Amino acid sequence: MNDPGTFEIRIICDPEDGERITAALAQAFTIGPIRSYPTRDQTRTRLYITATDREPAPVLRLIPADHHTRPGTKR
C-alpha cells in the first residue's frame, strides 16, 4: 500500500482554514500534493494529504580541534 512511514491524512475544515492547516502539516511532515474537494453540503473543504515522517536529524559528534594524533602517539 504505502511505504513505511507514509500515510494519508484527511481533514474536513472551513475553506478559509485550509492553507493554515496545510502549512502546519508541512512543518511537521514531508507532504505530497494536496487534494482538495468540497464536502457534500458544499460548506466545507475535504483535504487529502499524503505525508511521510521526516527523517530524524543526524546526530553530529563534535570533535575537539586537537583530535588528531601524531603517528606513534596514543590517545
Side-chain angles (χ1 to χ4, degrees):
M1 184 173 162
N2 289 333
D3 294 330
T6 300
F7 50 95
E8 291 289 320
I9 299 171
R10 183 182 74 166
I11 298 170
I12 298 174
C13 62
D14 290 328
E16 60 271 5
D17 292 333
E19 286 187 35
R20 181 180 55 81
I21 291 169
T22 55
L25 289 171
Q27 289 180 344
F29 305 103
T30 300
I31 62 172
I34 300 159
R35 295 159 328 270
S36 177
Y37 306 99
T39 56
R40 290 182 186 163
D41 63 6
Q42 306 291 314
T43 62
R44 294 178 291 167
T45 300
R46 290 180 292 140
L47 302 174
Y48 294 88
I49 303 163
T50 301
T52 305
D53 288 327
R54 288 204 172 136
E55 292 294 322
V59 176
L60 301 176
R61 182 173 165 226
L62 300 177
I63 302 173
D66 64 345
H67 72 281
H68 62 281
T69 57
R70 294 189 180 116
T73 61
K74 293 184 181 179
R75 276 233 152 205

